Short mmCIF file of all heavy atoms in Angstrom, two decimals:
data_model
loop_
_atom_site.label_atom_id
_atom_site.label_comp_id
_atom_site.label_asym_id
_atom_site.label_seq_id
_atom_site.Cartn_x
_atom_site.Cartn_y
_atom_site.Cartn_z
N GLU A 290 112.52 93.66 103.65
CA GLU A 290 113.85 94.12 103.28
C GLU A 290 114.10 95.58 103.69
O GLU A 290 115.28 96.01 103.80
CB GLU A 290 114.00 94.04 101.73
CG GLU A 290 113.77 92.62 101.21
CD GLU A 290 114.73 91.55 101.96
OE1 GLU A 290 115.93 91.81 102.01
OE2 GLU A 290 114.22 90.58 102.51
N GLY A 291 113.09 96.32 103.91
CA GLY A 291 113.31 97.74 104.25
C GLY A 291 113.61 98.06 105.69
O GLY A 291 113.75 99.21 106.05
N GLY A 292 113.65 96.96 106.52
CA GLY A 292 114.08 97.20 107.96
C GLY A 292 113.13 96.84 109.00
O GLY A 292 113.11 97.34 110.09
N LEU A 293 112.12 95.92 108.69
CA LEU A 293 111.09 95.42 109.59
C LEU A 293 110.18 96.59 110.14
O LEU A 293 109.90 96.63 111.31
CB LEU A 293 111.77 94.68 110.76
CG LEU A 293 112.50 93.40 110.36
CD1 LEU A 293 113.11 92.73 111.60
CD2 LEU A 293 111.62 92.34 109.66
N ASN A 294 109.96 97.52 109.28
CA ASN A 294 109.06 98.65 109.73
C ASN A 294 107.60 98.01 109.70
O ASN A 294 107.10 97.70 108.63
CB ASN A 294 109.25 99.85 108.83
CG ASN A 294 110.67 100.24 108.67
OD1 ASN A 294 111.24 100.61 109.56
ND2 ASN A 294 111.16 100.27 107.43
N ALA A 295 106.93 98.06 110.78
CA ALA A 295 105.54 97.50 110.90
C ALA A 295 104.56 98.61 110.95
O ALA A 295 104.63 99.49 111.87
CB ALA A 295 105.46 96.66 112.17
N ALA A 296 103.67 98.62 110.04
CA ALA A 296 102.65 99.68 110.00
C ALA A 296 101.59 99.39 111.10
O ALA A 296 101.25 98.21 111.32
CB ALA A 296 101.94 99.68 108.67
N ARG A 297 101.08 100.43 111.70
CA ARG A 297 99.94 100.25 112.74
C ARG A 297 98.76 99.86 111.98
O ARG A 297 98.58 100.25 110.84
CB ARG A 297 99.78 101.55 113.46
CG ARG A 297 100.99 101.95 114.38
CD ARG A 297 100.81 103.45 114.86
NE ARG A 297 100.91 104.30 113.66
CZ ARG A 297 100.70 105.58 113.77
NH1 ARG A 297 100.29 106.22 114.87
NH2 ARG A 297 100.79 106.41 112.69
N PHE A 298 97.91 99.01 112.70
CA PHE A 298 96.63 98.67 112.06
C PHE A 298 95.78 99.86 111.77
O PHE A 298 95.14 99.90 110.72
CB PHE A 298 95.98 97.70 112.97
CG PHE A 298 96.73 96.49 113.31
CD1 PHE A 298 96.60 95.81 114.55
CD2 PHE A 298 97.58 95.92 112.34
CE1 PHE A 298 97.28 94.68 114.77
CE2 PHE A 298 98.30 94.82 112.63
CZ PHE A 298 98.19 94.13 113.90
N SER A 299 95.89 100.90 112.65
CA SER A 299 95.00 102.05 112.30
C SER A 299 95.52 102.77 111.07
O SER A 299 94.66 103.40 110.28
CB SER A 299 95.10 103.04 113.55
OG SER A 299 96.41 103.41 113.76
N TRP A 300 96.80 102.82 110.86
CA TRP A 300 97.34 103.42 109.63
C TRP A 300 96.88 102.68 108.40
O TRP A 300 96.42 103.24 107.36
CB TRP A 300 98.89 103.46 109.72
CG TRP A 300 99.59 104.18 108.69
CD1 TRP A 300 99.85 105.56 108.62
CD2 TRP A 300 100.12 103.65 107.43
NE1 TRP A 300 100.57 105.88 107.51
CE2 TRP A 300 100.71 104.75 106.73
CE3 TRP A 300 100.10 102.33 106.85
CZ2 TRP A 300 101.41 104.60 105.53
CZ3 TRP A 300 100.81 102.22 105.71
CH2 TRP A 300 101.38 103.25 104.90
N LEU A 301 96.84 101.32 108.39
CA LEU A 301 96.42 100.52 107.36
C LEU A 301 94.99 100.73 107.02
O LEU A 301 94.60 100.85 105.89
CB LEU A 301 96.67 99.05 107.58
CG LEU A 301 98.15 98.63 107.76
CD1 LEU A 301 98.30 97.20 108.28
CD2 LEU A 301 98.88 98.75 106.37
N LYS A 302 94.16 100.86 108.13
CA LYS A 302 92.73 101.23 107.85
C LYS A 302 92.50 102.49 107.16
O LYS A 302 91.71 102.67 106.34
CB LYS A 302 92.02 101.17 109.24
CG LYS A 302 91.77 99.89 109.86
CD LYS A 302 90.73 99.03 109.12
CE LYS A 302 89.32 99.51 109.37
NZ LYS A 302 88.31 98.70 108.66
N LYS A 303 93.34 103.52 107.58
CA LYS A 303 93.20 104.86 106.97
C LYS A 303 93.66 104.76 105.49
O LYS A 303 93.03 105.51 104.66
CB LYS A 303 94.05 105.91 107.76
CG LYS A 303 93.47 106.22 109.14
CD LYS A 303 94.27 107.06 109.95
CE LYS A 303 93.79 107.28 111.32
NZ LYS A 303 94.74 108.07 112.14
N ILE A 304 94.64 104.03 105.21
CA ILE A 304 95.05 103.86 103.74
C ILE A 304 93.89 103.27 102.97
O ILE A 304 93.63 103.70 101.83
CB ILE A 304 96.32 103.02 103.62
CG1 ILE A 304 97.52 103.77 104.29
CG2 ILE A 304 96.64 102.65 102.20
CD1 ILE A 304 98.00 105.00 103.58
N GLU A 305 93.32 102.22 103.53
CA GLU A 305 92.22 101.56 102.85
C GLU A 305 91.11 102.61 102.59
O GLU A 305 90.45 102.58 101.48
CB GLU A 305 91.62 100.40 103.66
CG GLU A 305 90.48 99.70 102.91
CD GLU A 305 89.96 98.53 103.79
OE1 GLU A 305 89.61 98.90 104.94
OE2 GLU A 305 89.88 97.44 103.37
N GLN A 306 90.75 103.40 103.59
CA GLN A 306 89.69 104.41 103.49
C GLN A 306 89.94 105.42 102.33
O GLN A 306 89.16 105.84 101.52
CB GLN A 306 89.52 105.15 104.77
CG GLN A 306 88.27 106.08 104.80
CD GLN A 306 87.00 105.38 104.37
OE1 GLN A 306 86.73 104.26 104.88
NE2 GLN A 306 86.17 106.06 103.58
N ILE A 307 91.29 105.89 102.31
CA ILE A 307 91.66 106.76 101.33
C ILE A 307 91.51 106.21 99.88
O ILE A 307 91.12 106.80 98.93
CB ILE A 307 93.18 107.17 101.46
CG1 ILE A 307 93.34 107.99 102.75
CG2 ILE A 307 93.80 107.84 100.24
CD1 ILE A 307 94.78 108.37 103.14
N CYS A 308 91.84 104.91 99.73
CA CYS A 308 91.67 104.18 98.54
C CYS A 308 90.20 104.17 98.08
O CYS A 308 89.85 104.41 96.89
CB CYS A 308 92.20 102.79 98.53
SG CYS A 308 93.98 102.68 98.66
N LYS A 309 89.32 103.95 98.98
CA LYS A 309 87.93 103.88 98.71
C LYS A 309 87.35 105.31 98.30
O LYS A 309 86.65 105.36 97.35
CB LYS A 309 87.13 103.34 99.92
CG LYS A 309 87.39 101.90 100.17
CD LYS A 309 86.62 101.41 101.41
CE LYS A 309 86.76 99.87 101.67
NZ LYS A 309 86.10 99.57 102.90
N GLU A 310 87.90 106.30 98.92
CA GLU A 310 87.38 107.71 98.71
C GLU A 310 87.75 108.15 97.34
O GLU A 310 87.10 108.92 96.72
CB GLU A 310 87.93 108.62 99.74
CG GLU A 310 87.30 108.38 101.10
CD GLU A 310 88.00 109.34 102.17
OE1 GLU A 310 88.97 109.94 101.80
OE2 GLU A 310 87.54 109.25 103.36
N HIS A 311 88.93 107.65 96.82
CA HIS A 311 89.52 108.11 95.55
C HIS A 311 89.35 107.10 94.43
O HIS A 311 90.00 107.29 93.32
CB HIS A 311 90.91 108.59 95.72
CG HIS A 311 91.10 109.78 96.54
ND1 HIS A 311 91.06 111.08 96.04
CD2 HIS A 311 91.33 109.96 97.85
CE1 HIS A 311 91.19 111.92 97.02
NE2 HIS A 311 91.38 111.28 98.20
N ASN A 312 88.69 105.99 94.69
CA ASN A 312 88.63 104.91 93.64
C ASN A 312 89.97 104.35 93.23
O ASN A 312 90.32 104.23 92.08
CB ASN A 312 87.76 105.36 92.53
CG ASN A 312 86.36 105.59 92.88
OD1 ASN A 312 85.66 104.84 93.54
ND2 ASN A 312 85.76 106.75 92.39
N ILE A 313 90.86 104.20 94.25
CA ILE A 313 92.18 103.66 94.04
C ILE A 313 92.19 102.18 94.53
O ILE A 313 91.62 101.93 95.55
CB ILE A 313 93.25 104.48 94.84
CG1 ILE A 313 93.22 106.01 94.44
CG2 ILE A 313 94.62 103.87 94.69
CD1 ILE A 313 93.92 106.91 95.39
N LEU A 314 92.87 101.31 93.69
CA LEU A 314 92.99 99.97 94.20
C LEU A 314 94.04 99.85 95.28
O LEU A 314 95.15 100.47 95.16
CB LEU A 314 93.28 98.98 93.02
CG LEU A 314 92.25 99.02 91.84
CD1 LEU A 314 92.65 97.76 90.97
CD2 LEU A 314 90.89 98.87 92.27
N LEU A 315 93.75 98.98 96.25
CA LEU A 315 94.73 98.76 97.31
C LEU A 315 95.39 97.38 97.09
O LEU A 315 94.67 96.42 96.99
CB LEU A 315 94.08 98.76 98.77
CG LEU A 315 94.91 98.44 99.95
CD1 LEU A 315 96.16 99.38 99.99
CD2 LEU A 315 94.14 98.36 101.20
N ILE A 316 96.67 97.37 96.98
CA ILE A 316 97.43 96.15 96.69
C ILE A 316 98.28 95.94 98.00
O ILE A 316 99.05 96.78 98.37
CB ILE A 316 98.41 96.28 95.56
CG1 ILE A 316 97.60 96.61 94.24
CG2 ILE A 316 99.11 94.97 95.36
CD1 ILE A 316 98.53 96.93 93.08
N VAL A 317 98.13 94.73 98.57
CA VAL A 317 99.03 94.35 99.71
C VAL A 317 100.06 93.34 99.22
O VAL A 317 99.66 92.23 98.70
CB VAL A 317 98.24 93.79 100.92
CG1 VAL A 317 99.16 93.26 101.92
CG2 VAL A 317 97.39 94.96 101.53
N ASP A 318 101.33 93.65 99.27
CA ASP A 318 102.32 92.73 98.98
C ASP A 318 102.65 91.87 100.23
O ASP A 318 103.26 92.29 101.15
CB ASP A 318 103.57 93.48 98.63
CG ASP A 318 104.83 92.64 98.28
OD1 ASP A 318 104.73 91.43 98.69
OD2 ASP A 318 105.73 93.08 97.69
#
């Protein structure tokens, strides 16, 4: 709904790594 903005796979990997480093849960809608 936000305009078909596609995240790069490298960006998604970095988000996952940030979550692991800070003990944050990663939710994918």
Side-chain angles (χ1 to χ4, degrees):
E290 301 306 307
L293 297 180
N294 307 302
R297 293 167 296 172
F298 301 149
S299 59
W300 188 86
L301 294 170
K302 287 288 288 182
K303 289 172 183 175
I304 294 291
E305 182 185 52
Q306 186 58 41
I307 289 171
C308 288
K309 289 178 179 177
E310 290 172 359
H311 293 273
N312 295 314
I313 301 166
L314 300 192
L315 175 59
I316 304 171
V317 170
D318 177 344

